[in-house]
Amino acid sequence: MTTSSRTGQSISRKACDFCRGRKVKCRFENFDDTNCQSCAEVSLRCTFGTERKRRGRPNRTLQRFQAALNSSTSGLPLPGSDGILCPPHEQPIHVVTARVLVQHLCPLDVFGLIIEDYLELIYPIAPLVHQPSFLALVTARQYEFDPTFLRLCLSLCAMTIASMHRKIAIYGFGYYSDPKDMVSRAYQLVMASRLATVPQWADEPSMDTLLCSLLLGLSSHYTESPSRGWVLVNESLYSCRKLNLFQELGYQSRSSIETEICKRAFWMLYIIQIHDRLAHATPHTPLGQDPILTDWRFLLPLEISDENLVQGIYPKSYTPENTPVVSGFVGLVKVFLCVLGIITESPSIRLQASSTLDQREYVDQRFTSSPPALRSEGFEDRNVATEHFQRMIDNLNFVINDIPEVLRNMVPGTEPGPRPFEIMKANIHITKLFLQSVILERYSSILIARDPSSPSMNCGHGGNNAIDGLWRSRETICRQLLDILNYCPVETLESHGTSMVVKIREIASALVGRDNPAEPNSGFSQKAKEYIEVFIQVLSKIDYPSQQVVAHKNGTPPNIVS
């Protein structure tokens, strides 16, 4: 309590209340005295009740952290930097790291609405949960006790928010005005939870990392945060490879539910790699699997509803009434399998499919020495290029016959089916047209690159069958896309996020400033303008992220088209 001064007197380490008030030194005659000299002179008892104030500027970070540690687990408001109570969703990340809650993103009633929308609108595209068990855990509020389940819930919220931009008025509950901000908050909360509960997550890949990084990566891309998106996607790809999920061996110790969820995650990563290689000359993603060693046949997801997955009930045939929602996702996988050669460089993989084959026999691998990747240097012989591209086009046309009937037809004026099936139906058919359009563009560039000055390329006399066929195929693609857009309401297209915007935009861009050189007077240029006008009208309704970017620059609210 006391120390010795140079004069031999004992000085208290902490002044008593009386000396502190008089602002004099608190001195003791002896070390064991109970009263200081000042208090003894006026016959007072020394007391030390006054709290000593910290010198310098207050440490707000320490105050918030101590408040977080001392707060109850019910998500009560914590003091803000200005001393005013702030709700959980406004608390800084360094505060909530002590314990992350759903309320740090949004109120529980809003969380419930987001999860409902995920299960109805986003699950058909990203079926990364087992619906019965997931709903049971949400009902039991498992996210309050299990950090792993909490991170999954936050990641699913981010995916839903990023996909359904126009619902930010509901999801944002008056606090968030931009889906990008809300997705960023969800990402930060997931990272905070990882740091608090599994700080070694980067060194020990897990199913948790696989799913959360995949969902957050897609959400980041959908909200114009590509750098973070590629980092997260590559983290998920690394987890997929380290967990050996591209081979049957990696599934031996997993339950039937985990097996199917991991398979679906594998194919979502595969589709991302296809899109990456179509859009960029230098891909952002390394191959998450060796195409030669990959068990493509085993990895096809089962077309079984989540309710029947545990019991292992396999329907012998499907009708529109008993077709599971996951059939739409499997159909999309089959569409992308038709262009598997895009992610292979050497040796190549050629796929042949037959509608009579069972889904487990859908993939037929053939390895040849000549790579069929969509690059001009891969085809010195135009006949080889024609054969290869025509085969992929034919496979894409044929694969539609290998999906359930409820997902097959999109005729304007017909009665739509259940919304989840309509969402996947639009995805399957527009993706097929998008891939065909990309293939045609690559083939066209190869033909022009080989001999741009050739008379046969100019088609001045007699025409050129290859060029003429390309333009007729372009017109067919545009006409089919127009029929689909007339069939689908805006709400159905919106569920796919910006990926649907990209596909429609790419198909439309192939028509800009073009005409058929084989038939200069065919009037295709006028038809192309009509198609483009319709596509622009649709894009103006679903390309909400671009509207937000323009609105932020102009300082005006985005134009929401109902």
Side-chain angles (χ1 to χ4, degrees):
M1 186 75 183
T2 59
T3 57
S4 296
S5 68
R6 285 180 295 179
T7 60
Q9 292 181 314
S10 299
I11 301 175
S12 175
R13 292 180 181 273
K14 179 181 179 181
C16 69
D17 298 337
F18 182 67
C19 292
R20 182 183 295 275
R22 295 176 62 193
K23 295 184 178 180
V24 298
K25 290 184 178 181
C26 190
R27 302 176 184 273
F28 288 79
E29 287 287 346
N30 301 304
F31 285 102
D32 55 351
D33 286 347
T34 57
N35 284 354
C36 67
Q37 293 179 0
S38 299
C39 290
E41 289 176 358
V42 294
S43 302
L44 290 177
R45 180 184 176 187
C46 272
T47 58
F48 297 86
T50 303
E51 184 176 357
R52 190 175 184 179
K53 293 183 179 180
R54 182 185 179 91
R55 292 186 178 181
R57 298 177 60 185
N59 190 331
R60 300 297 186 188
T61 301
L62 180 60
Q63 290 178 0
R64 293 174 191 154
F65 184 72
Q66 290 174 340
L69 292 178
N70 297 329
S71 65
S72 65
T73 59
S74 60
L76 294 176
L78 298 181
S81 58
D82 54 1
I84 302 175
L85 294 181
C86 64
H89 59 268
E90 296 184 22
Q91 294 167 13
I93 291 298
H94 59 263
V95 173
V96 304
T97 301
R99 184 183 178 193
V100 179
L101 303 169
V102 167
Q103 294 93 317
H104 289 128
L105 177 67
C106 61
L108 287 179
D109 57 339
V110 177
F111 168 72
L113 293 175
I114 297 175
I115 293 299
E116 287 179 6
D117 281 349
Y118 164 75
L119 294 174
E120 181 183 3
L121 305 175
I122 310 302
Y123 173 84
I125 307 165
L128 296 181
V129 299
H130 179 252
Q131 290 197 61
S133 58
F134 177 76
L135 280 172
L137 292 175
V138 170
T139 303
R141 300 169 72 110
Q142 186 70 18
Y143 48 79
E144 294 183 351
F145 318 106
D146 184 353
T148 301
F149 186 68
L150 170 68
R151 290 190 290 272
L152 176 62
C153 289
L154 292 172
S155 302
L156 293 173
C157 286
M159 182 69 177
T160 306
I161 295 163
S163 300
M164 307 298 295
H165 280 70
R166 293 182 193 277
K167 287 199 171 187
I168 189 60
I170 299 174
Y171 298 157
F173 61 95
Y175 179 73
Y176 304 96
S177 59
D178 189 342
K180 182 176 183 178
D181 296 335
M182 200 168 183
V183 168
S184 295
R185 176 71 174 184
Y187 161 74
Q188 293 166 3
L189 290 171
V190 170
M191 295 301 295
S193 176
R194 285 175 171 177
L195 290 170
T197 59
V198 282
Q200 73 283 2
W201 93 90
D203 298 320
E204 300 178 4
S206 63
M207 187 173 171
D208 169 46
T209 305
L210 171 77
L211 299 180
C212 291
S213 296
L214 172 56
L215 290 165
L216 292 172
L218 287 171
S219 305
S220 299
H221 280 293
Y222 287 177
T223 52
E224 308 297 329
S225 299
S227 297
R228 185 177 68 209
W230 289 124
V231 169
L232 290 165
V233 167
N234 278 302
E235 184 177 69
S236 185
L237 276 168
Y238 177 76
S239 298
C240 180
R241 192 176 185 97
K242 292 298 289 184
L243 295 173
N244 205 24
L245 297 182
F246 61 97
Q247 291 182 320
E248 187 174 359
L249 181 65
Y251 296 83
Q252 290 182 352
S253 60
R254 299 191 179 276
S255 66
S256 58
I257 293 177
E258 289 182 343
T259 295
E260 288 307 302
I261 291 176
C262 286
K263 285 181 181 180
R264 299 168 188 176
F266 168 86
W267 285 109
M268 288 182 67
L269 289 169
Y270 163 79
I271 291 171
I272 291 174
Q273 292 175 84
I274 292 289
H275 279 294
D276 185 23
R277 280 152 180 76
L278 289 176
H280 305 100
T282 303
H284 295 85
T285 55
L287 282 180
Q289 66 284 329
D290 187 329
I292 300 177
L293 301 178
T294 301
D295 296 332
W296 300 102
R297 190 192 309 263
F298 167 79
L299 288 172
L300 270 175
L302 299 176
E303 292 189 54
I304 304 175
S305 66
D306 284 356
E307 292 76 11
N308 295 332
L309 187 58
V310 178
Q311 291 81 7
I313 301 175
Y314 298 82
K316 295 181 179 179
S317 61
Y318 293 106
T319 64
E321 290 74 24
N322 72 347
T323 301
V325 174
V326 75
S327 292
F329 181 78
V330 177
L332 184 68
V333 168
K334 292 179 179 180
V335 169
F336 276 99
L337 271 173
C338 296
V339 291
L340 179 58
I342 293 175
I343 68 168
T344 66
E345 296 185 1
S346 182
S348 68
I349 298 178
R350 296 184 178 183
L351 299 177
Q352 292 182 347
S354 170
S355 60
T356 60
L357 293 180
D358 179 81
Q359 64 168 336
R360 295 176 181 273
E361 301 174 350
Y362 183 79
V363 183
D364 177 24
Q365 302 183 51
R366 295 186 180 182
F367 302 98
T368 62
S369 57
S370 56
L374 301 185
R375 299 177 177 85
S376 59
E377 61 269 19
F379 298 102
E380 297 297 334
D381 186 346
R382 184 185 300 176
N383 293 329
V384 174
T386 303
E387 177 186 354
H388 168 66
F389 285 113
Q390 187 60 51
R391 182 174 61 252
M392 285 201 291
I393 294 289
D394 292 341
N395 284 344
L396 286 168
N397 284 325
F398 182 78
V399 75
I400 299 300
N401 298 324
D402 198 40
I403 62 178
E405 181 181 354
V406 70
L407 298 166
R408 204 173 298 168
N409 299 319
M410 300 192 73
V411 181
T414 58
E415 188 70 21
R419 193 169 185 183
F421 290 100
E422 293 301 306
I423 291 172
M424 283 312 300
K425 189 190 298 185
N427 198 2
I428 291 171
H429 288 264
I430 293 180
T431 298
K432 184 205 78 168
L433 297 177
F434 162 71
L435 293 174
Q436 287 180 330
S437 179
V438 172
I439 292 169
L440 289 175
E441 286 303 301
R442 298 295 176 90
Y443 181 32
S444 176
S445 64
I446 289 172
L447 293 181
I448 296 174
R450 286 289 170 257
D451 191 3
S453 61
S454 171
S456 62
M457 294 301 297
N458 296 327
C459 305
H461 302 283
N464 180 283
N465 290 335
I467 298 295
D468 184 45
L470 285 174
W471 283 103
R472 292 184 184 278
S473 297
R474 281 193 181 101
E475 183 177 5
T476 300
I477 290 173
C478 291
R479 187 173 61 253
Q480 291 177 359
L481 178 59
L482 184 60
D483 290 340
I484 294 173
L485 296 180
N486 288 331
Y487 173 86
C488 295
V490 173
E491 294 77 12
T492 297
L493 300 175
E494 271 188 325
S495 301
H496 304 276
T498 56
S499 64
M500 185 62 69
V501 174
V502 170
K503 292 171 186 176
I504 297 174
R505 186 188 296 151
E506 288 296 320
I507 295 174
S509 65
L511 304 176
V512 177
R514 302 288 187 85
D515 201 353
N516 186 350
E519 297 182 19
N521 300 319
S522 63
F524 182 80
S525 179
Q526 181 60 33
K527 293 180 182 178
K529 291 180 181 179
E530 295 174 359
Y531 286 132
I532 291 174
E533 288 178 359
V534 176
F535 297 156
I536 290 176
Q537 291 177 5
V538 174
L539 289 173
S540 67
K541 297 179 181 179
I542 66 175
D543 192 6
Y544 189 63
S546 296
Q547 294 182 31
Q548 284 189 308
V549 172
V550 174
H552 283 311
K553 290 182 179 179
N554 298 335
T556 59
N559 181 27
I560 300 179
V561 181
S562 58

PDB file of all heavy atoms in Angstrom, residues 11 15 19 23-27 36 38:
ATOM      1  N   ILE A  11       4.930   6.962   1.581  1.00  0.00           N
ATOM      2  CA  ILE A  11       3.958   7.602   0.684  1.00  0.00           C
ATOM      3  C   ILE A  11       3.026   6.526   0.137  1.00  0.00           C
ATOM      4  O   ILE A  11       3.474   5.480  -0.365  1.00  0.00           O
ATOM      5  CB  ILE A  11       4.656   8.331  -0.465  1.00  0.00           C
ATOM      6  CG1 ILE A  11       5.613   9.395   0.096  1.00  0.00           C
ATOM      7  CG2 ILE A  11       3.636   8.981  -1.401  1.00  0.00           C
ATOM      8  CD1 ILE A  11       6.428  10.072  -0.975  1.00  0.00           C
ATOM      9  N   ALA A  15      -3.710   7.725  -3.129  1.00  0.00           N
ATOM     10  CA  ALA A  15      -4.132   8.703  -2.128  1.00  0.00           C
ATOM     11  C   ALA A  15      -5.500   8.345  -1.577  1.00  0.00           C
ATOM     12  O   ALA A  15      -6.376   7.861  -2.284  1.00  0.00           O
ATOM     13  CB  ALA A  15      -4.165  10.099  -2.741  1.00  0.00           C
ATOM     14  N   CYS A  19      -7.134  13.088   1.215  1.00  0.00           N
ATOM     15  CA  CYS A  19      -5.967  13.717   0.578  1.00  0.00           C
ATOM     16  C   CYS A  19      -6.226  14.014  -0.897  1.00  0.00           C
ATOM     17  O   CYS A  19      -5.758  15.021  -1.441  1.00  0.00           O
ATOM     18  CB  CYS A  19      -4.742  12.827   0.722  1.00  0.00           C
ATOM     19  SG  CYS A  19      -4.150  12.667   2.418  1.00  0.00           S
ATOM     20  N   LYS A  23      -5.944  17.482  -2.557  1.00  0.00           N
ATOM     21  CA  LYS A  23      -4.855  17.469  -3.527  1.00  0.00           C
ATOM     22  C   LYS A  23      -3.507  17.660  -2.843  1.00  0.00           C
ATOM     23  O   LYS A  23      -2.677  18.507  -3.222  1.00  0.00           O
ATOM     24  CB  LYS A  23      -5.066  18.537  -4.595  1.00  0.00           C
ATOM     25  CG  LYS A  23      -6.293  18.300  -5.470  1.00  0.00           C
ATOM     26  CD  LYS A  23      -6.415  19.329  -6.577  1.00  0.00           C
ATOM     27  CE  LYS A  23      -7.630  19.024  -7.441  1.00  0.00           C
ATOM     28  NZ  LYS A  23      -7.783  20.006  -8.546  1.00  0.00           N
ATOM     29  N   VAL A  24      -3.298  16.859  -1.757  1.00  0.00           N
ATOM     30  CA  VAL A  24      -2.021  16.856  -1.047  1.00  0.00           C
ATOM     31  C   VAL A  24      -1.482  15.439  -1.039  1.00  0.00           C
ATOM     32  O   VAL A  24      -2.204  14.468  -1.300  1.00  0.00           O
ATOM     33  CB  VAL A  24      -2.191  17.367   0.403  1.00  0.00           C
ATOM     34  CG1 VAL A  24      -2.683  18.812   0.403  1.00  0.00           C
ATOM     35  CG2 VAL A  24      -3.144  16.478   1.187  1.00  0.00           C
ATOM     36  N   LYS A  25      -0.177  15.312  -0.706  1.00  0.00           N
ATOM     37  CA  LYS A  25       0.419  13.996  -0.646  1.00  0.00           C
ATOM     38  C   LYS A  25      -0.140  13.207   0.522  1.00  0.00           C
ATOM     39  O   LYS A  25      -0.360  13.750   1.598  1.00  0.00           O
ATOM     40  CB  LYS A  25       1.942  14.106  -0.503  1.00  0.00           C
ATOM     41  CG  LYS A  25       2.618  14.620  -1.754  1.00  0.00           C
ATOM     42  CD  LYS A  25       4.127  14.618  -1.580  1.00  0.00           C
ATOM     43  CE  LYS A  25       4.814  15.097  -2.850  1.00  0.00           C
ATOM     44  NZ  LYS A  25       6.285  15.090  -2.704  1.00  0.00           N
ATOM     45  N   CYS A  26      -0.342  11.944   0.296  1.00  0.00           N
ATOM     46  CA  CYS A  26      -0.885  11.055   1.329  1.00  0.00           C
ATOM     47  C   CYS A  26       0.299  10.331   1.968  1.00  0.00           C
ATOM     48  O   CYS A  26       0.857   9.399   1.378  1.00  0.00           O
ATOM     49  CB  CYS A  26      -1.882  10.093   0.701  1.00  0.00           C
ATOM     50  SG  CYS A  26      -2.831   9.124   1.903  1.00  0.00           S
ATOM     51  N   ARG A  27       0.711  10.729   3.186  1.00  0.00           N
ATOM     52  CA  ARG A  27       1.899  10.206   3.836  1.00  0.00           C
ATOM     53  C   ARG A  27       1.513   9.419   5.083  1.00  0.00           C
ATOM     54  O   ARG A  27       0.576   9.784   5.806  1.00  0.00           O
ATOM     55  CB  ARG A  27       2.855  11.341   4.233  1.00  0.00           C
ATOM     56  CG  ARG A  27       3.291  12.203   3.073  1.00  0.00           C
ATOM     57  CD  ARG A  27       4.158  13.356   3.565  1.00  0.00           C
ATOM     58  NE  ARG A  27       4.526  14.273   2.511  1.00  0.00           N
ATOM     59  CZ  ARG A  27       5.596  14.116   1.727  1.00  0.00           C
ATOM     60  NH1 ARG A  27       6.390  13.073   1.917  1.00  0.00           N
ATOM     61  NH2 ARG A  27       5.855  15.000   0.790  1.00  0.00           N
ATOM     62  N   CYS A  36      -3.393   7.995   7.438  1.00  0.00           N
ATOM     63  CA  CYS A  36      -2.300   8.845   6.981  1.00  0.00           C
ATOM     64  C   CYS A  36      -2.168  10.048   7.924  1.00  0.00           C
ATOM     65  O   CYS A  36      -3.028  10.259   8.794  1.00  0.00           O
ATOM     66  CB  CYS A  36      -2.532   9.310   5.552  1.00  0.00           C
ATOM     67  SG  CYS A  36      -3.942  10.432   5.355  1.00  0.00           S
ATOM     68  N   SER A  38      -2.502  13.263   7.357  1.00  0.00           N
ATOM     69  CA  SER A  38      -3.548  14.287   7.194  1.00  0.00           C
ATOM     70  C   SER A  38      -4.829  13.866   7.895  1.00  0.00           C
ATOM     71  O   SER A  38      -5.493  14.665   8.566  1.00  0.00           O
ATOM     72  CB  SER A  38      -3.818  14.525   5.712  1.00  0.00           C
ATOM     73  OG  SER A  38      -2.672  14.997   5.055  1.00  0.00           O
TER      74      SER A  38
END
